[in-house]
Amino acid sequence: ALSIYRDAVTNRGVIVIPTREGEQGRFNFKCNQGATYGMTQLLYSDAIVDFLAQFAKETDHRPEILLSFGFVPKMETRVGLINWLIQDPGNAAVAGEQDFVRQLAGSEPEQKRRLLVDLYKRVVDGVADLGFPLSIHFEATYGVSAPAFETFAEMLAYWAPDRA
């Protein structure tokens, strides 16, 4: 689809899962086929930093990267939607992300905000100088909430694409 619609659709994107085995080659193939941006899965680790650093070393592709961050409310402890979304049995990197999600779900809003903002800072600081145009995607997976938007506001206060 990326190459078929190259002349009809200006922006053609793909999902990037930095913890998935073989993702470097998969993303390179997709860029060769005409992907102009990659939207990351919800990030609950800074694995995207090493992923993009390696990708930048190995290719000349510099598609826009939409960094996705999701708020984790207490409801996650009962429902487990985010855990289900990021699962990859046997993948230690994903197991670490699932541990982080559980920690976030069980944390009070102030600690949760600090943990998410710290992750955001590590990711943004780690990829900002790699030559990729960057955008941000925020997701309140379980719906709108004041703690989610307060967290997102603090993230944007640290870095936003319009001030890059």
Side-chain angles (χ1 to χ4, degrees):
L2 292 168
S3 60
I4 292 170
Y5 298 108
R6 184 184 305 257
D7 295 329
V9 180
T10 305
N11 296 305
R12 296 166 311 281
V14 297
I15 299 297
V16 178
I17 303 174
T19 56
R20 180 167 54 182
E21 186 175 329
E23 189 70 359
Q24 290 283 335
R26 188 176 290 110
F27 190 43
N28 188 50
F29 173 79
K30 290 174 182 180
C31 289
N32 286 336
Q33 298 306 308
T36 60
Y37 72 89
M39 179 175 166
T40 69
Q41 70 175 51
L42 291 173
L43 299 175
Y44 294 107
S45 76
D46 56 7
I48 191 67
V49 174
D50 289 340
F51 178 89
L52 288 176
Q54 187 67 33
F55 191 77
K57 283 182 198 173
E58 295 178 0
T59 77
D60 291 330
H61 295 298
R62 293 302 180 272
E64 182 173 1
I65 303 296
L66 282 78
L67 300 168
S68 298
F69 296 89
F71 186 77
V72 182
K74 284 197 183 296
M75 184 182 299
E76 173 68 15
T77 59
R78 291 189 325 275
V79 178
L81 175 61
I82 297 169
N83 183 60
W84 177 79
L85 287 170
I86 64 173
Q87 69 181 318
D88 187 3
N91 184 329
V94 174
E97 290 182 345
Q98 289 174 312
D99 289 342
F100 185 62
V101 167
R102 277 190 289 281
Q103 180 185 6
L104 289 168
S107 296
E108 293 303 316
E110 187 62 35
Q111 181 187 18
K112 187 179 310 206
R113 185 176 314 119
R114 184 179 44 79
L115 290 168
L116 283 169
V117 171
D118 286 349
L119 171 62
Y120 182 80
K121 289 177 179 181
R122 287 194 317 273
V123 169
V124 168
D125 291 348
V127 301
D129 295 327
L130 295 176
F132 297 94
L134 298 176
S135 295
I136 301 297
H137 166 247
F138 291 134
E139 189 166 320
T141 308
Y142 289 92
V144 176
S145 72
F149 283 89
E150 289 166 0
T151 300
F152 297 155
E154 190 169 329
M155 291 171 158
L156 289 173
Y158 181 76
W159 185 88
D162 66 342
R163 296 187 308 268

